[in-house]
Amino acid sequence: MADRRQVLRMGAVAAAAPALAGTVAAPALAHGPKHKEPEVFGHRGASGYRPEHTLASYELAARMGADYIEPDLVATKDHVLVCRHEPEIGGTTDVARHPEFAGRRKTVLLDGVSVTGWFTEDFTLAELRTLRAIERLPAVRQENTLYDGLFPVPTFEEVLELRGRLSKELGRDIGVIPETKHPTYFRRLGLDLETPLVRTLRKHRLDRRGAKVWIQSFEAANLKVLHQQYRVQVNLVFLTGAAGGPFNDPKTYAQYLTPAGLKELSSYVDGIGPDKNQVIPRNADATLGTPTALVRDAHAAGLKIIPYTFRAENQFLPADYRVGADPNAYGRAIDEQITFLRTGIDGLFTDQPDIGVLSRTLAD
C-alpha cells in the first residue's frame, strides 16, 4: 500500500482524463515552450479537478499547460500569507470537524456583508496546518471529493517554491498571479496583505520587470498602494465585476471600464480582469450575445484583458453551449472559449486548464 506521501504525490499529478469523458481526451502533460499569447491562467490551480488552492491543484494546472497559477491570498493571525479564496474557511477546509476550534466560529462584517464561519485571522499558521482542504462545490464536482482531507492549506511561500521547481522540471517559466483578497478588511485588522506579499516576491527575486508575475485585486486603492507606495515592478491587474464596485470606493466597476476610466487605470495598472459577461454578455434567454467594445477599449488604453471564469459544467455555460439537462455535465466549453479567444482577449481564467490550452490551439 502506498504511504501518505505517495498518495499526496499521486493526487497532485494524476491526469484528469476521466473528468473529460464525453468531451475530448485530456492533452498530454505539458513540457517545453508554450504560446506567449493568449495565455491560460489556472483559476485557483486546476480547481475543476482538485480541491482549489492546494499545491496539488496548482501543480496539476502547470502540468496541464497553464501559463500561470493563481493563488488567492489571505492572512493568518501571525501575519503569514496563505492560499484560500476567502478568509472564511468553513467551506474549503475540514475546520467544522475540529471540536477544538468550535469556539472560534463567529460572524463578521466582510466588506459590508455579514458572514458567519471560521476566519484565517483567528488561526496561527501552526493551527491551520492541522486542517485539510475539502472541495468547495461537492455537489458539482463530486470527483474532487475523493481528495478531501489529503492536502493542507499552503502558504504563498510554498507556492513560489513549487513554481520554481516546476519551471525547472517542465523547461518553461511557470507564472504566478496572486490575488489580494479583501485587502481593506485585513488592513483594518492590522494584517495588511501588501507587506508580506511584496517581501515574499522580493525574497524570490520576482519583483522585477519581465518576471512572469501579476498581482490582481478587486480594489483599485490596493493596486495604487502597490504601485505608488511599494513601487512594485511586476504587472498589476484590476479585477472587475459585472455589477457594483470596489469596497469603500465611490466609483462603480462600470465607471472604471469607460474609455476615460481605462485611461486613468493605465497610469497604475497593466491590465484588467473583467467578468467574462463584460466581454460578451448573455441575452435575456441566457444565450451568448454580441461582444461589447471592452476588448477594443482596453487595448486602446494600453491594457491587457484577461476575463474570468471559464468552467466546463453546463450550469456555468451560456444556454446555447449546454449539452443535455444535467447542470453538472460538461457542455460545449471548448466552443465557448474559442468564441471568447477570437474577440482578441489576452488570456482567460479557467478551472480546467487543459481545456483552455486546447481551446487556444483551436482558436488560432
Side-chain angles (χ1 to χ4, degrees):
M1 179 181 292
D3 65 22
R4 185 173 182 81
R5 285 178 295 180
Q6 289 173 312
V7 170
L8 296 180
R9 179 68 177 172
M10 288 187 289
V13 303
L20 286 170
T23 53
V24 294
L29 299 182
H31 293 258
K34 301 303 295 178
H35 296 286
K36 290 184 178 180
E37 289 187 342
E39 292 180 301
V40 174
F41 293 75
H43 186 241
R44 310 176 196 175
S47 55
Y49 306 125
R50 300 291 183 272
E52 66 186 36
H53 293 308
T54 59
L55 293 182
S57 182
Y58 300 136
E59 180 168 351
L60 184 57
R63 292 187 181 280
M64 284 183 157
D67 301 289
Y68 286 80
I69 53 179
E70 184 211 26
D72 290 341
L73 302 180
V74 295
T76 65
K77 184 177 183 179
D78 44 352
H79 212 176
V80 178
L81 294 184
V82 294
C83 305
R84 293 288 89 189
H85 179 54
E86 294 288 340
E88 199 289 303
I89 56 174
T92 59
T93 74
D94 60 1
V95 64
R97 303 173 194 168
H98 286 253
E100 68 272 25
F101 298 133
R104 299 193 193 180
R105 190 169 187 268
K106 66 180 185 181
T107 299
V108 305
L109 201 62
L110 182 61
D111 292 357
V113 178
S114 180
V115 178
T116 299
W118 291 265
F119 295 82
T120 57
E121 67 267 18
D122 294 328
F123 293 79
T124 64
L125 178 61
E127 289 172 328
L128 275 181
R129 290 297 200 192
T130 68
L131 307 179
R132 290 294 178 269
I134 61 173
E135 171 55 36
R136 185 176 63 89
L137 301 172
V140 179
R141 292 169 175 166
Q142 192 270 337
E143 290 111 332
N144 286 13
T145 64
L146 289 169
Y147 305 98
D148 283 357
L150 292 181
F151 308 124
V153 175
T155 65
F156 183 46
E157 178 88 34
E158 289 171 331
V159 173
L160 295 186
E161 291 170 353
L162 175 68
R163 182 214 72 86
R165 291 196 302 271
L166 290 176
S167 294
K168 291 179 181 178
E169 179 185 341
L170 300 178
R172 59 188 180 88
D173 194 14
I174 305 299
V176 289
I177 182 164
E179 179 185 344
T180 56
K181 300 297 296 193
H182 305 285
T184 297
Y185 172 80
F186 278 107
R187 191 177 303 113
R188 290 174 176 176
L189 295 173
L191 297 169
D192 77 282
L193 302 178
E194 296 89 353
T195 299
L197 168 58
V198 174
R199 182 175 60 237
T200 306
L201 286 175
R202 288 175 178 166
K203 175 183 175 181
H204 287 262
R205 300 180 180 179
L206 289 172
D207 182 26
R208 54 181 172 78
R209 280 290 167 190
K212 203 166 179 181
V213 178
W214 291 75
I215 300 174
Q216 52 179 340
S217 178
F218 277 99
E219 295 186 21
N222 174 227
L223 296 171
K224 281 185 178 180
V225 166
L226 287 165
H227 175 72
Q228 297 172 357
Q229 181 177 330
Y230 288 83
R231 298 187 179 278
V232 296
Q233 298 300 302
V234 297
N235 291 325
L236 301 177
V237 58
F238 179 52
L239 301 171
T240 68
F247 177 68
N248 205 31
D249 188 325
K251 292 179 68 174
T252 66
Y253 289 124
Q255 289 172 321
Y256 275 109
L257 296 186
T258 63
L262 290 166
K263 183 177 180 181
E264 180 187 350
L265 279 171
S266 70
S267 67
Y268 60 93
V269 304
D270 305 276
I272 57 171
D275 182 310
K276 67 181 182 180
N277 293 322
Q278 295 174 290
V279 175
I280 308 181
R282 297 189 186 183
N283 298 315
D285 62 357
T287 59
L288 198 62
T290 302
T292 68
L294 185 56
V295 173
R296 181 196 66 200
D297 292 346
H299 288 163
L303 297 171
K304 290 193 174 184
I305 177 168
I306 309 159
Y308 67 88
T309 304
F310 292 85
R311 298 178 167 110
E313 294 88 356
N314 277 325
Q315 64 185 278
F316 303 117
L317 293 168
D320 46 338
Y321 286 78
R322 299 168 192 163
V323 177
D326 182 354
N328 299 325
Y330 275 18
R332 295 169 47 223
I334 295 171
D335 291 339
E336 184 206 28
Q337 292 186 26
I338 290 172
T339 300
F340 274 84
L341 287 165
R342 287 177 175 168
T343 67
I345 59 175
D346 300 287
L348 53 79
F349 285 93
T350 174
D351 286 5
Q352 291 95 359
D354 53 344
I355 294 178
V357 171
L358 180 59
S359 299
R360 173 176 61 189
T361 302
L362 296 174
D364 287 345

